[in-house]
Amino acid sequence: MINKRWGLALASAAMASLLLAGCSDTSTSDPSSDGPVTISYWDFLDPSQDNPRSNALKENIANFEAANPNITVDLSVVSLGDMLNRLPQAAAAGQAPDVFKMFTPQVPQMAAAGAYAPLPEAASQITDWLRPTDALEGPDGKQVAVPYEYRTCALYYNQKILDQIGATVPTTYDEVVDVAGKAAAAGYTGFGTGFSDTDNSAIISTFFDCFMSQVDQEIWNGDGDPDFATEKGAEFGDFLADLRDAGGMGTSVVSDSYSTVTDGLTNGTVAMAVLGSERVVTLATGNPDVKWTSLPMASTGDTKGSTFGWTLGMGNGTKNADAAWKFIEYMTGPEAGAVMATGGEVPTREATYEQPFFSTPEADTVNKIADYVENESEPHTYSDDWIAIATGLANAGQQLYLNGISGSEFIKAAQDAASK
């Protein structure tokens, strides 16, 4: 059982209280106070799919509606890419969803685009977030979102493949290159990653985010401009170049995305990959040979990646602020957090871990993931240009694979593209 975890909780609480004290209350004319209301909710997960995370979402929405019979949740399944394109336009037209889920690195971008309504003052009553919330502010310094789940990066590997090639689980990035080359020689994709920009370049940008944390390299300078093409940053490019030279990348790496690499791990064609820790339960369910461990050691750093995840916020112009906040409060609260954890996602509030579920054998895996996120990751703030950085990384990756550029050329090309 997890008890009084994560030392940043108290600091987070104090910060949240200070930040939220200045937030305007958006609920004064909320019609949901007077009768039945339907709130619109955008989420990338499809509750009709049969997987642990989707099942947990479906159960939580049903439980919320049962506990709040005057509120109906109208869920639209919207990919992150579509959200990023549609939210600013919808907000400008007064048609933003009442609630939407957003990836932590993109919160500043959506806030700058006017997609959010500020959180109501009622949000200040929540004081047990396990990580600081200063990455979830708008340009005016007001908090616009709350953490829904935490995650970091982990190394996934197929134990059956490693046994077949006589390899042990790598603990450094140099060892990853060596094992990936051997796996490729045996007919597998040695290390799954992708340089596609169709999935918001999620797989390469998530890995990059964690790697920069490992080598203690800031991604932006004090003015918020991309500034990672340094000697430390080049180690990320060097690793990718070494993988390429060892034959450890897949032949379709230019078009591969987060989902295709995940599928490759599930179907047993990919030997290793760095993905988010939220995939632990899903991948183990799909293929018991797939295991996970901490990130390999960086030569100039350590094994600690970045803490990020998904958040919930209210759409700008919502007419149902009371109901929207009630839904957000429930979905990030202890009861819903315990259900969410059955899908392998890490809840964000200390009170959630007091739920009975976390003392059961069924919670062993998510407790291990939560401990891993706590001990092997650190949060940081983001600028409002994450998509530009992600796209720059994908484009530079294509040059690295197709044109044979070096690791240092890769990292410079990525920074230059993000700076345009």
Side-chain angles (χ1 to χ4, degrees), residues 109-200:
Q109 178 180 341
M110 288 297 97
Y116 285 101
L119 293 179
E121 291 186 14
S124 63
Q125 297 174 13
I126 301 177
T127 59
D128 63 342
W129 302 115
L130 294 173
R131 292 297 200 203
T133 56
D134 52 346
L136 306 177
E137 300 173 2
D140 57 2
K142 294 180 180 179
Q143 189 174 350
V144 296
V146 294
Y148 175 74
E149 57 89 29
Y150 293 132
R151 64 181 65 177
T152 187
C153 301
L155 176 67
Y156 294 84
Y157 60 94
N158 186 305
Q159 186 64 62
K160 184 176 180 180
I161 295 176
L162 266 57
D163 290 343
Q164 178 184 334
I165 63 176
T168 57
V169 179
T171 59
T172 68
Y173 282 105
D174 287 342
E175 291 176 359
V176 170
V177 171
D178 180 62
V179 174
K182 292 177 180 177
Y188 301 99
T189 295
F191 184 89
T193 191
F195 302 135
S196 170
D197 59 6
T198 60
D199 192 23
N200 304 300

Side-chain angles (χ1 to χ4, degrees), residues 31-55:
S32 66
S33 301
D34 302 320
V37 64
T38 296
I39 60 171
S40 55
Y41 173 47
W42 288 8
D43 196 313
F44 70 95
L45 287 176
D46 184 350
S48 69
Q49 295 183 351
D50 186 17
N51 63 66
R53 296 165 70 201
S54 293
N55 291 336

Side-chain angles (χ1 to χ4, degrees), residues 54-117:
S54 293
N55 291 336
L57 175 62
K58 180 179 180 179
E59 181 177 348
N60 273 334
I61 291 177
N63 289 344
F64 171 78
E65 291 180 331
N68 298 273
N70 284 340
I71 304 176
T72 299
V73 179
D74 181 14
L75 170 66
S76 295
V77 180
V78 184
S79 70
L80 175 59
D82 284 345
M83 282 196 205
L84 296 175
N85 291 327
R86 292 168 56 186
L87 276 170
Q89 299 175 0
Q95 298 176 347
D98 295 304
V99 179
F100 61 91
K101 187 182 286 185
M102 182 54 57
F103 197 43
T104 304
Q106 270 95 46
V107 170
Q109 178 180 341
M110 288 297 97
Y116 285 101

Side-chain angles (χ1 to χ4, degrees), residues 281-365:
V281 172
T282 300
L283 283 169
T285 301
N287 186 342
D289 293 323
V290 177
K291 313 296 182 182
W292 67 286
T293 188
S294 59
L295 289 171
M297 179 75 72
S299 65
T300 59
D302 55 28
T303 61
K304 284 191 175 183
S306 56
T307 311
F308 44 93
W310 289 91
T311 68
L312 294 178
M314 298 192 305
N316 191 12
T318 177
K319 302 297 192 297
N320 303 306
D322 276 352
W325 171 248
K326 187 172 289 188
F327 178 65
I328 291 173
E329 186 177 28
Y330 179 85
M331 293 295 283
T332 57
E335 181 180 344
V339 174
M340 180 185 70
T342 64
E345 294 179 297
V346 175
T348 55
R349 291 180 55 190
E350 184 177 333
T352 302
Y353 295 92
E354 298 173 4
Q355 291 287 299
F357 168 75
F358 293 95
S359 298
T360 66
E362 290 77 13
D364 285 349
T365 297

Side-chain angles (χ1 to χ4, degrees), residues 193-216:
T193 191
F195 302 135
S196 170
D197 59 6
T198 60
D199 192 23
N200 304 300
S201 313
I203 188 166
I204 190 63
S205 60
T206 297
F207 185 15
F208 165 81
D209 191 9
C210 283
F211 197 101
M212 292 302 102
S213 290
Q214 285 190 262
V215 298
D216 195 26

